[in-house]
């Protein structure tokens, strides 16, 4: 029986059911430690104020062989996930229900409303989306890598009622995904939804993605927008669409500030990407920074201290 404080260890070679039993029985204030490689799918952590920690030098591994379900879904307030590799194996991951759902083969899902969550030193690879981040008033995603996923490396899952997406994103590498490095897109069903966006810092990087490096889009929704995106010290290299894409919506898509950025060689990636490591063909298209006309002019964009180099199209559009 679990106590109310201290550390709980997941036994080496524990089954998915045994692992889930521990996550269900854990209490607030406890740490759950994982070591080695475990095979498990559809794990859920809903108890608040719990730390899930990998104890290996390079991170423990939790791997799933079921294509259409996530590895782990976290919904507890102030939970922490540290030092774990979440991945799919054997079967190409699928996403029947959409990103962030129980029928999508994502690596790590943070459910909307799980505030004060911290995700650090986490590796998400060979999934559908590497990691999905739901709405939050404040949470942190730091010092992590998301790569070789069939969808996006990092996907922000928006909500029409709870409109804050105030993630602090720092020192993240999102690379070689078949979608975008980072994607925040308003569903077309949104009407009059204005959402404050995340804050990026710490030389966060998007490299070699088949899509955009960073994509923010809300023009397909009705009278909606993504506002208050702040990016400081970010990097985009060899993504096969534009390095940065801002299409934040004519109704509320305002107050975007991008400073200290570097965007190079959009449309030139010829390396491998995705679960299967498929070789990519350069598109020979893409801007360093692409800003569409579907943005709210009330408070226009601020771009400062940036460099664009050797992109297929213009540095800035």
């Amino acid at each position: 029986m679990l106590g109310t404080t201290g550390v709980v260890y997941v036994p080496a070679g524990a089954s998915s059911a045994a692992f889930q039993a521990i996550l269900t029985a854990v209490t607030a204030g406890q740490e759950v430690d994982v070591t080695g490689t475990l095979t498990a799918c559809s794990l859920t952590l809903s108890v608040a104020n719990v730390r899930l920690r990998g104890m290996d030098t390079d991170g423990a591994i939790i791997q799933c062989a079921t294509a259409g379900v996530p590895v782990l879904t976290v919904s507890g307030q102030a939970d922490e996930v540290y030092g774990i590799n979440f991945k799919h194996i054997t079967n190409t991951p699928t996403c029947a229900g959409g990103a962030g759902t129980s029928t999508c083969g994502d690596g790590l899902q943070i459910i909307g409303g799980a505030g004060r969550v911290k995700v650090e030193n986490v590796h998400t690879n060979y999934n559908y989306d590497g990691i999905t981040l739901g709405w939050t008033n404040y949470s942190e995603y730091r010092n992590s890598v998301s790569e070789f996923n069939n969808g996006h490396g990092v996907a922000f899952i928006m909500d029409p009622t709870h409109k804050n997406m105030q993630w602090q994103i720092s020192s993240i590498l999102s690379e070689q995904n078949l979608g975008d490095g980072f994607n925040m897109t308003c569903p077309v069903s949104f009407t009059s939804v204005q959402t404050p966006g995340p804050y990026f810092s710490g030389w966060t990087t998007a490299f070699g993605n088949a899509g955009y490096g960073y994509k923010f889009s809300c023009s397909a929704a009705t009278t909606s927008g993504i506002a208050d995106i702040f990016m400081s010290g970010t990097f985009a290299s060899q993504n096969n669409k534009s390095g940065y894409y801002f299409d934040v919506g004519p109704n509320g898509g305002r107050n975007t500030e991008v400073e200290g950025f570097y965007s190079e060689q959009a449309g030139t990636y010829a390396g491998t990407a995705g679960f299967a490591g498929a070789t990519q063909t350069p598109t020979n298209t893409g801007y360093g920074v692409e800003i569409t006309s579907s943005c709210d002019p009330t408070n226009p964009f601020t771009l400062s201290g940036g460099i664009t180099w050797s992109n297929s199209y213009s540095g800035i559009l």
Side-chain angles (χ1 to χ4, degrees):
M1 182 172 178
L2 302 180
T4 58
T5 61
V7 178
V8 179
Y9 295 95
V10 179
S15 67
S16 186
F19 195 166
Q20 182 60 60
I22 292 172
L23 295 179
T24 301
V26 72
T27 59
Q30 288 189 312
E31 177 175 300
V32 178
D33 285 356
V34 183
T35 188
T37 299
L38 296 174
T39 299
C41 302
S42 298
L43 296 171
T44 59
L45 175 60
S46 59
V47 179
N49 196 29
V50 170
R51 177 183 293 124
L52 180 62
R53 178 187 289 269
M55 300 303 294
D56 295 48
T57 301
D58 294 325
I61 298 172
I62 304 176
Q63 60 185 22
C64 172
T66 302
V69 299
V71 183
L72 173 68
T73 300
V74 175
S75 59
Q77 295 287 321
D79 284 342
E80 298 182 7
V81 182
Y82 183 91
I84 299 176
N85 178 193
F86 299 95
K87 67 194 301 183
H88 278 74
I89 58 171
T90 309
N91 300 304
T92 300
T94 59
C95 191
T101 67
S102 62
T103 54
C104 189
D106 301 325
L108 175 60
Q109 299 176 339
I110 309 298
I111 296 300
R116 304 280 175 167
V117 169
K118 293 184 178 180
V119 178
E120 188 167 2
N121 291 343
V122 162
H123 189 190
T124 50
N125 59 335
Y126 303 113
N127 305 293
Y128 191 79
D129 293 308
I131 180 170
T132 62
L133 304 176
W135 71 269
T136 184
N137 293 325
Y138 180 88
S139 291
E140 300 176 6
Y141 175 42
R142 303 184 182 277
N143 303 318
S144 298
V145 177
S146 191
E147 61 183 351
F148 291 101
N149 300 292
N150 275 3
H152 308 306
V154 181
F156 297 93
I157 308 301
M158 303 177 70
D159 187 281
T161 303
H162 304 94
K163 302 172 185 179
N164 288 335
M165 191 61 74
Q166 293 176 297
W167 279 90
Q168 306 292 304
I169 310 294
S170 179
S171 301
I172 303 299
L173 170 61
S174 185
E175 65 173 359
Q176 295 169 275
N177 303 291
L178 291 183
D180 305 320
F182 300 85
N183 179 284
M184 182 173 175
T185 300
C186 297
V188 296
S189 60
F190 275 18
T191 299
S192 299
V193 177
Q194 283 73 43
T195 301
Y199 174 72
F200 293 79
S201 64
W203 210 233
T204 289
T205 299
F207 167 76
N209 296 289
Y212 297 96
Y214 304 83
K215 179 183 179 181
F216 304 92
S217 182
C218 204
S219 63
T222 303
T223 59
S224 298
I226 301 170
D228 307 330
I229 302 167
F230 297 100
M231 308 181 78
S232 177
T234 56
F235 180 60
S237 177
Q238 292 188 32
N239 300 285
N240 267 337
K241 293 184 179 178
S242 296
Y244 297 77
Y245 180 79
F246 298 101
D247 178 58
V248 290
N251 296 94
R254 54 183 177 264
N255 298 335
T256 295
E257 182 172 331
V258 182
E259 63 180 16
F261 64 94
Y262 188 96
S263 188
E264 67 173 8
Q265 298 178 292
T268 67
Y269 186 62
T272 59
F275 181 88
T279 300
Q280 302 301 295
T281 301
T283 60
N284 298 312
T285 62
Y287 301 89
V289 180
E290 183 176 355
I291 303 170
T292 75
S293 60
S294 293
C295 299
D296 192 330
T298 306
N299 291 297
F301 272 76
T302 299
L303 297 176
S304 62
I307 296 173
T308 59
W309 178 77
S310 196
N311 296 285
S312 293
Y313 290 165
S314 301
I316 299 174
L317 172 66

